[in-house]
Structures are given as structure tokens and as C-alpha cells.
Amino acid sequence: MTGRVLVLNCGSSSVKYRLFDDGETLAKGIAERVTDHEAALRDILAQLDLTGLVAVGHRVVHGGTRFSAPSLVDDELISVVRDLIPLAPLHNPANLTGIEVARKLLPEVPQVAVFDTAFHRTMPPAAATYALDYEVAERFGIHRYGFHGTSHAYVSRRTGELLGKPEANVITLHLGNGASACAVRAGRSVTTSMGFTPLPGLVMGTRSGDIDPAVVFHLVRVGGMGLDEVDELLNQRSGLKGLSGVNDMRDVLSRVAAGDERAQLAFDVYCTRIKSYVGAYYAQLGALDAITFTAGVGENAPVVRAASLAGLERLGIEVDPVRNAAGETVISPDGADIAVLVVPTEEELEIATQTLAAVS
Ligand SMILES: Nc1ncnc2c1ncn2[C@@H]1O[C@H](COP(=O)(O)OP(=O)(O)O)[C@@H](O)[C@H]1O
Ligand SMILES: CC(=O)OP(=O)(O)O
Ligand SMILES: [Mg+2]
């Protein structure tokens, strides 16, 4: 990787940035609790030495069917990303602000969008299709897109390298604020737990993950809620926060330690959901080489890793308690059928690499 690249990851309430020069990190940081993204970005850009900047790479969460690879930002890309806002309401608006501000402040520098959805475009129709009225689904573009693709791609590739088996079949568990599981066969996504939007699948900080969709009808018809209210309930007031009152796993764990029953329930629901997906994706892959934990919770919470895989010895899945507590890379015992790993995700590095490839 050669050249100076700035990566921007604009989230709903934070801006993460990282400046690379020939693959080395020159500067990085995060502005949290951001309400004015433009002001935050102006502050960040003012502090950085951007001489010789070759490109700016942006994380963009939803690229729909139009984008399956990193792409140069132009007016068409911006309008597609804007049209996809209803499908990623917490993410695409912030991503767009990042693009628009960077374009304004660095008009001479090429901008590249790297999409969370891109890695999952290889999913076979059997995994990507919802069993809805076919014509309705087609007319509205309703199918499984999947997200966190940059992370699942990086972490599964890194797992293959660490095992000395580049064609490994891996289940990757990205457990951050948002959380998703992915089944990867020899470097390609074959199914993933997020869907049309980043709402379904695993339990998240504030998002429900999987629920019966009829709950929505019930809350509207019987509960008298408006659709926007239900949207807000499922995206912002559910998950760990809905069950325990706090969205940060660190706070959930300290409440569990203090004997809080709701926090214990939140923890149990969270880990049970992960286990269900591990079983399902093991079946989808047929042969499994490794399970890899990543992102804030996956990298830092040994109790979550242990509970999520507890009782799966008959499937060849085992976590060594000493290795797990010590935070080693491989946390399964020697000779286990299936390796269990902890691999820190490197979304920004991956975005920088793909950005440089797109402009050169
Ligand atoms: N030491 C820790 N123990 C448990 N959970 C942690 C720890 N450190 C971070 N986390 C969890 O990681 C989450 C953030 O993960 P991260 O991957 O940074 O998310 P995002 O990129 O989506 O903001 C926090 O909400 C917190 O719950
Ligand atoms: C797609 C998604 O959920 O992203 P994040 O985890 O950054 O919220
Ligand atoms: Mg993240």
C-alpha cells in the first residue's frame, strides 16, 4: 500500500478517522457524541497533515444492488446512497455527510466509498431471498443485503492466514455496537444475519435483532403506536438497552456481577442468539474450520465468548478457559476439531487498502 490515505467512518453519533501513509497509521481518533458532523469533520481535518493526500476512503453502510465494489464518489453514487437512507437510517445519512464535507474541504482529492454490503453480494439466491410474494419483493428490492462486510472479509481472511489455510470455512462473529454473524466459505460470504437493513439477526446494543415481524402489526393495531415509533423502538430502545437499561456490554456485565436480573436476562438472550446462529451456520457450511470473534464485545468480553459456545463440545467446538481469559488469539484447546479465535477487526486499514486500489 503506497500513498497517504484518510479513512472516515461516520457513524450515527461518532466520527472515526485514521490517516495512513504507506500502510502505517500517522494519526487516528474518534469524536463521540457528535451532533454536528460537519463541525466535527472540520476540526479533525484541521488537525491533520494532509499534504500529498492521495484519496479519502469512506465507510458507507448500504450500497444496495448498485454497488458491489469500492467506487469513486460522484454525483450518481451520492444520489444512490441518499435513496438508500430508508434502508440504513442510522448509518447512510452520516456516511453521506462525511462524503459531502470531505468533498467540500478537499475538492481536489478523489473520494472512494467502501460499502458494508459489498462482501455479501456473492451470497447465493437461497440465502439472499426472502420467501415473500416474488413480484412484490422484486419491485421493492426486498432481499438480504447483509452488512459489516469489510470486517467479515478482513477477519475471515486473517483467520485463514493464522491457520495456514487460506481456503478455510469460517463463522465470523462481529460483536460491536451493531452485531452480525457471517458464514464464509473459502473467502466468500455464503450467508449473514443482518438483512434488508442492519436490524435483524443478533441482539445488539440498542437494536432488537430477530423478532417475529407480526410484533410490528400488533404494536400498531393493538398498542396504538405509530410506525415511526415502532421503528425507533426496534432500532434505538431494544437489544441490550431495552432489556437491561444500558446498551454498553461493559455496563451489562458489571450489573450482572452485582446480581441484576434484567442484566442477566439481557446477557443470556444475547449469547443464546449467537449460539443459534453458530449452529445454523455450521450446518450451512457443512465443514467448519474456525469460529472467529471480533469487534468491541467479541475482542474484549471473554464471558460472552465462553457463554456463546458453551455446551458445543459434541460439535467439536470448545473454548479453553485459560486461553480465553488471557485474550490469546487461539482460544480453543490444542487438537480441537474447530479452532476458535479472537481477531481484532481492521475496518479502517481494509478501507484504506481498497481505496488506494480503486484510485490507482
Ligand atoms: N472490555 C469490554 N468488555 C465488554 N464489552 C466491551 C469492552 N470494550 C468494548 N466493549 C463493547 O464494544 C462496543 C463497541 O464496539 P465497537 O466495535 O467499537 O462498535 P462500533 O464500531 O459499532 O461503535 C461497546 O458498546 C461495548 O459494549
Ligand atoms: C451496519 C452496522 O450495524 O454498523 P455499526 O455496527 O457500525 O452500527
Ligand atoms: Mg464498528
Side-chain angles (χ1 to χ4, degrees), residues 22-46:
D22 295 343
E24 297 297 316
T25 299
L26 291 186
K28 66 173 180 176
I30 176 167
E32 280 176 298
R33 288 184 242 284
V34 169
T35 46
D36 183 345
H37 280 79
E38 173 151 358
L41 282 161
R42 279 185 185 277
D43 285 350
I44 290 167
L45 294 183

Side-chain angles (χ1 to χ4, degrees), residues 47-262:
Q47 290 164 25
L48 297 172
D49 177 7
L50 300 175
T51 41
L53 190 67
V54 177
V56 181
H58 298 269
R59 178 186 181 211
V60 179
V61 163
H62 214 312
T65 48
R66 172 68 185 77
F67 293 105
S68 48
S71 304
L72 274 173
V73 171
D74 57 15
D75 293 339
E76 191 228 337
L77 183 143
I78 289 176
S79 102
V80 170
V81 173
R82 185 173 294 123
D83 289 346
L84 289 165
I85 285 174
L87 278 57
L90 303 183
H91 298 92
N92 270 30
N95 305 157
L96 266 179
T97 306
I99 288 176
E100 278 161 354
V101 173
R103 260 189 147 193
K104 201 185 312 176
L105 300 184
L106 302 164
E108 308 299 324
V109 181
Q111 319 267 330
V112 174
V114 177
F115 297 95
D116 261 42
T117 42
F119 179 59
H120 303 296
R121 301 295 298 146
T122 56
M123 273 190 297
T129 306
Y130 290 126
L132 293 172
D133 178 296
Y134 191 88
E135 278 72 33
V136 171
E138 198 160 43
R139 175 143 52 102
F140 294 101
I142 297 175
H143 56 87
R144 185 187 305 283
Y145 289 97
F147 302 89
H148 293 138
T150 306
S151 177
H152 290 299
Y154 171 82
V155 166
S156 58
R157 193 176 70 232
R158 195 71 201 109
T159 300
E161 287 166 7
L162 288 163
L163 296 179
K165 189 172 184 185
E167 304 285 280
N169 289 354
V170 185
I171 296 172
T172 46
L173 299 166
H174 177 108
L175 311 177
N177 227 335
S180 66
C182 185
V184 182
R185 188 194 306 284
R188 291 162 77 89
S189 169
V190 296
T191 188
T192 190
S193 59
M194 284 179 169
F196 180 60
T197 72
L199 181 56
L202 304 181
V203 176
M204 312 185 207
T206 64
R207 285 170 254 167
S208 61
D210 291 334
I211 58 161
D212 178 344
V215 168
V216 177
F217 318 144
H218 189 80
L219 290 173
V220 172
R221 289 192 192 121
V222 179
M225 289 187 183
L227 274 179
D228 289 340
E229 211 178 336
V230 180
D231 188 328
E232 198 259 343
L233 174 78
L234 298 183
N235 274 297
Q236 323 252 31
R237 285 193 285 135
S238 296
L240 295 174
K241 185 176 174 67
L243 288 172
S244 74
V246 286
N247 66 293
D248 190 307
M249 183 58 87
R250 284 167 290 204
D251 298 331
V252 175
L253 296 179
S254 53
R255 289 183 183 204
V256 168
D260 183 323
E261 283 178 20
R262 288 284 197 81

